[in-house]
Amino acid sequence: MKKMVVLTGAGMSAESGISTFRDSGGLWEQYRVEDVATPEGYARNPQLVLDFYNQRRKQLGEVQPCRGHELLASLESAYDVTVVTQNVDNLHERAGSRRVIHLHGELMKVTSSRNPNDVRCIRELTPEHCEIAWGDRAADGSQLRPFIVWFGEAVPLIEKAIEEVERADVFVVIGTSLNVYPAAGLLNYVPEGVPVFLIDPNTVGWHSSRPVVHIRKGASEGMAELIRLLKNYNL
């Protein structure tokens, strides 16, 4: 079974109704990214940050995976698929994808403010109890914070993602501007000769000389087109 690695970004979840900050002038749900997605913003106003992510979790419970998520999950019947996502939602998992690497954290999880990557402190919330309050404590006694990799923080799973990409037989990019590193650098680890497909309706800053098949469609229509192309390429 051929190994397929798929890098997904905000454009994948946009069709489900998840808003993206890059499409709104640096705002995310009308909040400045610097205020709600950086360690400095959390230090300045932790209550604002906790409230913001509580609202994002509620929003996540109101949306469903799009057809693109479902089609990607369906490819597991024919390929060994690993999804590497920049998204913090759980829509890939809810659509049926079984192997998902979340580079930027997971919205439905919370963790220690002292050591966010301490596995003993990472806890998954439920849709029914998806809010955390000031005073809620992690296992190490520190304030619970969102399990999100904020701007300026290290991306602990990037090495695991690189290992997957290095073994890919097919590499697919869906709905990402390829402007956010280190995720954008994963393309550099795709083995020579491995076909690369890009699904995005817009022109993407492709910082590579390697050939790419650009499917200029959104996630759902683009995934349907990809499935047809894979048959044509006999992949």
Side-chain angles (χ1 to χ4, degrees):
M1 188 176 281
K2 290 184 181 295
K3 181 167 188 60
M4 174 183 290
V5 179
V6 184
L7 173 64
T8 68
M12 188 78 192
S13 295
E15 291 187 22
S16 293
I18 300 290
S19 59
T20 69
F21 76 86
R22 287 192 175 275
D23 293 333
S24 52
L27 297 176
W28 191 4
E29 295 286 344
Q30 304 309 307
Y31 290 85
R32 294 172 66 246
V33 170
E34 294 84 356
D35 292 335
V36 296
T38 64
E40 295 78 13
Y42 181 59
R44 275 195 308 271
N45 193 340
Q47 188 64 61
L48 172 71
V49 175
L50 295 182
D51 290 344
F52 174 81
Y53 287 96
N54 285 339
Q55 288 299 317
R56 301 289 72 71
R57 292 188 205 98
K58 288 181 182 178
Q59 179 194 38
L60 181 57
E62 296 169 356
V63 302
Q64 299 297 325
C66 71
R67 182 64 177 151
H69 289 106
E70 294 168 349
L71 289 173
L72 176 52
S74 74
L75 284 175
E76 293 191 11
S77 64
Y79 298 88
D80 174 11
V81 181
T82 297
V83 178
V84 180
T85 187
Q86 296 168 275
N87 301 332
V88 297
D89 59 65
N90 59 4
L91 295 175
H92 281 301
E93 288 90 344
R94 284 164 58 187
S97 289
R98 291 178 293 177
R99 189 180 299 115
V100 184
I101 298 172
H102 284 271
L103 290 179
H104 296 160
E106 297 180 63
L107 183 57
M108 291 303 294
K109 292 182 179 180
V110 290
T111 188
S112 160
S113 288
R114 185 178 302 131
N115 186 357
N117 297 310
D118 185 342
V119 295
R120 296 169 298 178
C121 295
I122 299 170
R123 199 170 90 205
E124 186 158 7
L125 303 176
T126 64
E128 297 77 23
H129 301 92
C130 64
E131 297 186 58
I132 56 172
W134 185 253
D136 290 346
R137 300 294 171 186
D140 63 1
S142 70
Q143 169 64 39
L144 279 173
R145 60 159 268 186
F147 183 57
I148 301 292
V149 178
W150 287 324
F151 289 94
E153 293 185 319
V155 180
L157 292 181
I158 191 64
E159 292 299 330
K160 183 177 179 182
I162 289 172
E163 290 174 5
E164 294 292 316
V165 172
E166 287 178 333
R167 297 191 293 116
D169 297 305
V170 183
F171 188 69
V172 183
V173 180
I174 308 173
T176 173
S177 62
L178 292 175
N179 285 325
V180 178
Y181 285 83
L186 288 175
L187 180 65
N188 299 325
Y189 296 93
V190 179
E192 194 69 32
V194 166
V196 177
F197 298 88
L198 168 66
I199 298 173
D200 200 294
N202 305 309
T203 299
V204 174
W206 193 258
H207 309 295
S208 173
S209 59
R210 70 180 301 145
V212 58
V213 178
H214 189 174
I215 302 170
R216 293 181 178 272
K217 297 181 178 179
S220 296
E221 288 187 4
M223 276 302 306
E225 178 69 15
L226 174 67
I227 290 171
R228 288 192 291 269
L229 284 176
L230 290 172
K231 294 176 181 176
N232 292 340
Y233 278 74
N234 197 27
L235 291 171

